[in-house]
Amino acid sequence: GVDIVLDHVSKRYPGQKTAAVDDVSLTVNAGEIVVFVGPSGCGKTTTMRMINRLIEPTSGSISIGGRDALSIPANELRRSIGYSIQQAGLFPHMTIAQNVALVPGLLKWDKKRVTARTEEMLHLVGLDPAVYLHRFPRQLSGGQQQRVGVARALAADPPVLLMDEPFGAVDPITRASLQDELIRLHAEIGTTIVFVTHDFSEAVKLGDRIAVLGEASSIQQYDTPEAILAN
Ligand code: ADP
Ligand code: ADP
């Protein structure tokens, strides 16, 4: 993994009276899992989207692995940051296999390796490849689509993983096993992970550190789960 540094980052959407994210400075260390918790509308998604440059900060800067995010070409950034979101964001016209194989394909992995990885990732998220590979997203439940989204985000071993309520629609039993898989994978490959959740027990389970965010993502607390629970 690589570190992510936000330096006085603000975002004001056109026409907004107040900033969605106001003057946030925070460092996610290389290989760390940081969990953002905070009320709906406090700017968590906006922050994620600024890190992967789907949107640009109004002011301030973001660096990833010591490089200014703005200087990293968009296509390189897309390949080095896995992004999974609550709505899964699968391409509807593509099969499950094509969705999961997307980034390895862009990276020009050889076909056998892509196929093996696609199957491995579906197993990892608890979907039988024999059943699901050639289905389309609309043929899956919301929770299954989320799992495919997670598989796609992880497929190319990105150094950075941004996960925005990735398990929100997943049933509790599958969710617990996905959390365990994420912890296991993280221990194995040391990806830097920023994870957004509303579920405080999920934050405690996954986070090396938890950032408790208030209005406009102001940082209320940023510490280990143990330290936050002790307060
Ligand atoms: P969270 O992820 O914490 O729920 P968001 O980042 O989605 O928060 O939203 C932060 C604030 O920015 C909210 O007030 C939201 O209404 C506003 N917002 C989000 N996206 C847009 C947009 N594209 N245009 C205008 N305002 C937006
Ligand atoms: P197409 O036939 O248009 O290539 P597929 O859905 O069959 O569409 O395959 C898309 C991609 O998904 C392939 O390039 C491959 O990498 C991956 N894929 C296809 N079939 C399998 C499979 N049986 N196991 C694992 N990955 C597969």
Side-chain angles (χ1 to χ4, degrees):
V2 296
D3 64 356
I4 303 168
V5 181
L6 277 62
D7 187 23
H8 295 288
V9 170
S10 297
K11 173 67 186 180
R12 183 190 293 255
Y13 289 103
Q16 258 195 344
K17 284 212 177 71
T18 57
V21 171
D22 190 16
D23 195 24
V24 170
S25 296
L26 154 151
T27 296
V28 179
N29 295 322
E32 189 176 34
I33 305 185
V34 165
V35 181
F36 288 177
V37 295
S40 182
C42 79
K44 302 179 296 294
T45 297
T46 299
T47 299
M48 299 288 243
R49 292 168 64 86
M50 288 192 285
I51 295 171
N52 68 12
R53 255 186 58 201
L54 289 170
I55 55 176
E56 278 189 25
T58 312
S59 60
S61 65
I62 297 175
S63 77
I64 298 170
R67 291 162 72 195
D68 188 329
L70 291 181
S71 75
I72 305 174
N75 58 352
E76 184 188 334
L77 210 69
R78 215 162 289 134
R79 287 156 204 198
S80 50
I81 302 182
Y83 187 40
S84 78
I85 59 173
Q86 177 156 34
Q87 304 77 9
L90 304 178
F91 294 106
H93 59 287
M94 289 165 60
T95 62
I96 299 311
Q98 288 170 324
N99 270 282
V100 175
L102 194 67
V103 176
L106 289 173
L107 292 172
K108 310 233 181 297
W109 288 16
D110 75 58
K111 276 203 149 198
K112 277 199 177 130
R113 186 172 171 216
V114 175
T115 301
R117 176 53 66 95
T118 301
E119 293 191 1
E120 182 191 348
M121 286 296 125
L122 286 177
H123 277 302
L124 187 88
V125 298
L127 294 172
D128 180 356
V131 176
Y132 292 102
L133 270 175
H134 300 292
R135 293 201 183 174
F136 286 89
R138 66 171 180 279
Q139 298 171 304
L140 274 59
S141 74
Q144 288 174 329
Q145 290 184 34
Q146 274 198 334
R147 289 192 260 162
V148 175
V150 171
R152 183 178 64 180
L154 290 166
D157 282 340
V160 172
L161 201 50
L162 305 179
M163 308 185 85
D164 195 344
E165 298 188 52
F167 308 147
V170 176
D171 66 274
I173 292 170
T174 307
R175 183 193 296 214
S177 79
L178 288 175
Q179 291 167 344
D180 293 339
E181 281 301 338
L182 190 66
I183 291 167
R184 192 185 62 74
L185 262 178
H186 177 259
E188 210 171 273
I189 52 184
T191 315
T192 307
I193 300 176
V194 183
F195 192 104
V196 169
T197 183
H198 279 112
D199 177 351
F200 196 71
S201 67
E202 182 167 66
V204 168
K205 180 171 174 183
L206 295 178
D208 293 313
R209 285 195 288 171
I210 298 174
V212 180
L213 305 178
E215 203 173 314
S217 290
S218 59
I219 298 168
Q220 310 295 309
Q221 285 181 290
Y222 189 26
D223 215 328
T224 61
E226 295 73 23
I228 285 176
L229 287 170
N231 269 311

